[in-house]
Amino acid sequence: MPKQTSAARRTSIAGLLAATSLTLALSGCATYDVTAPADARADAPAAAVQAKDAQLAAAKGAKNEDGKNGDGRNGDAKRSQGGGQATGPGGAGDVDCRKAKCVALTFDAGPSENTPRLLDILKKEKVHATFFMLGENHVDKRPAEVKRIDAEGHELANHTWSHQILTDIEPAEAERELSRVQDAVRKITGKTPRLMRPPQGRTDEEVSKISKDLGLAQVLWSVTAKDYQTNDSALITKRVLEQTERDGIILLHDIYKGTVPAVPGILKELKKRGYTVVTVSQLLSPAKAEPGMVYRP
């Protein structure tokens, strides 16, 4: 059963997402529990905390051993391949977001023709991201990109089949919007997404129930460049950096041509400011995202 959040953690969706405030005002204020990454980590089960600590200790020991053998760089590569997590400066292979200054990087609505270039950048920078993918004309048309996203250690996530607003359609249709992506990604990669982002961030009790039944946690965001409004890469970079704080979740879209060129500058400055860029699941660790729950900084 998902944990109940405290009253202090309860918040109204109205005002959380500036991009959808007008729509929400028209449809009424849906209220639901939102869990922040720091709260999720603090409430992680003792067994998960012990397992995380043991994993970090083992990784530290292996790194020290590699250093003694003069093979530190090779050791990092092996661990990266085995765990699907980047290591090195700014990487998240051995990251502990309970101590590190973490921020999650996420991309919505792909894959697209821009995704291969984005993956090249992330690989060069040793950074992993979470990809909330659309099914229609994206996952179904670009299985090679989906495979590469997975193979290079990024997190596969669900952004519905055709970007319908889940709170505006019948429950059965909302279930199909999510389950079709689950099935398509599983067919391509053998893995089933555990995270989903509702279009426009709009969710309610019924969407939460459907998500829980499908094994999906809901992930909103705290940073948006509104890159759907501009192709100005410098402006996109500026907006992201102005909003980013520890435990933030950055929302970008790899479908717009101004976004991918902004990524190198964003990553460079985030690292300069002491951030470790991680996936959503790494941000929540040692907690695991619980199906049906809504996560937002």
Side-chain angles (χ1 to χ4, degrees), residues 273-287:
R273 296 181 186 186
Y275 286 99
T276 298
V277 181
V278 297
T279 66
V280 170
S281 289
Q282 289 172 328
L283 185 67
L284 299 178
S285 180

Side-chain angles (χ1 to χ4, degrees), residues 80-292:
S80 178
Q81 292 167 5
Q85 299 176 348
T87 55
D94 306 333
V95 70
D96 183 355
C97 291
R98 295 169 296 180
K99 299 177 182 178
K101 186 180 175 183
C102 293
V103 61
L105 180 62
T106 72
F107 293 92
D108 279 16
S112 74
E113 66 274 11
N114 304 315
T115 305
R117 183 181 175 193
L118 172 60
L119 291 172
D120 290 343
I121 293 167
L122 296 177
K123 186 175 184 179
K124 179 181 178 181
E125 298 297 330
K126 299 182 179 179
V127 164
H128 288 124
T130 301
F131 285 79
F132 290 91
M133 300 178 292
L134 281 176
E136 189 174 35
N137 295 323
H138 295 276
V139 169
D140 64 344
K141 300 294 186 183
R142 297 184 175 274
E145 283 87 345
V146 177
K147 287 181 180 179
R148 184 179 169 191
I149 289 169
D150 177 48
E152 295 186 3
H154 303 287
E155 187 165 34
L156 303 165
N158 189 329
H159 194 43
T160 73
W161 186 257
S162 60
H163 209 262
Q164 292 196 60
I165 307 304
L166 298 177
T167 54
D168 288 350
I169 58 180
E170 292 298 319
E173 190 174 2
E175 192 276 340
R176 284 193 297 272
E177 277 286 304
L178 293 169
S179 64
R180 289 184 71 182
V181 177
Q182 297 292 86
D183 293 343
V185 172
R186 182 168 53 246
K187 183 177 180 180
I188 294 168
T189 68
K191 299 178 181 178
T192 305
R194 298 180 62 248
L195 306 177
M196 81 90 159
R197 176 168 284 155
Q200 296 186 5
R202 293 181 59 184
T203 187
D204 58 19
E205 289 185 6
E206 186 62 45
V207 173
S208 295
K209 180 180 181 299
I210 293 166
S211 299
K212 182 178 179 180
D213 291 344
L214 292 173
L216 289 164
Q218 303 174 81
V219 180
L220 303 184
W221 61 91
S222 59
V223 178
T224 175
K226 296 184 179 180
D227 51 355
Y228 47 83
Q229 295 178 344
T230 180
N231 286 322
D232 185 337
S233 298
L235 179 59
I236 291 168
T237 301
K238 180 176 181 288
R239 286 174 173 174
V240 169
L241 296 176
E242 284 178 345
Q243 298 173 57
T244 299
E245 296 180 353
R246 182 177 180 178
D247 281 343
I249 299 177
I250 298 170
L251 164 60
L252 293 169
H253 298 81
D254 51 328
I255 57 173
Y256 301 121
K257 68 178 184 179
T259 301
V260 172
V263 172
I266 291 170
L267 294 177
K268 181 179 179 180
E269 185 60 27
L270 288 176
K271 292 177 183 180
K272 184 178 177 181
R273 296 181 186 186
Y275 286 99
T276 298
V277 181
V278 297
T279 66
V280 170
S281 289
Q282 289 172 328
L283 185 67
L284 299 178
S285 180
K288 291 186 177 181
E290 298 187 27

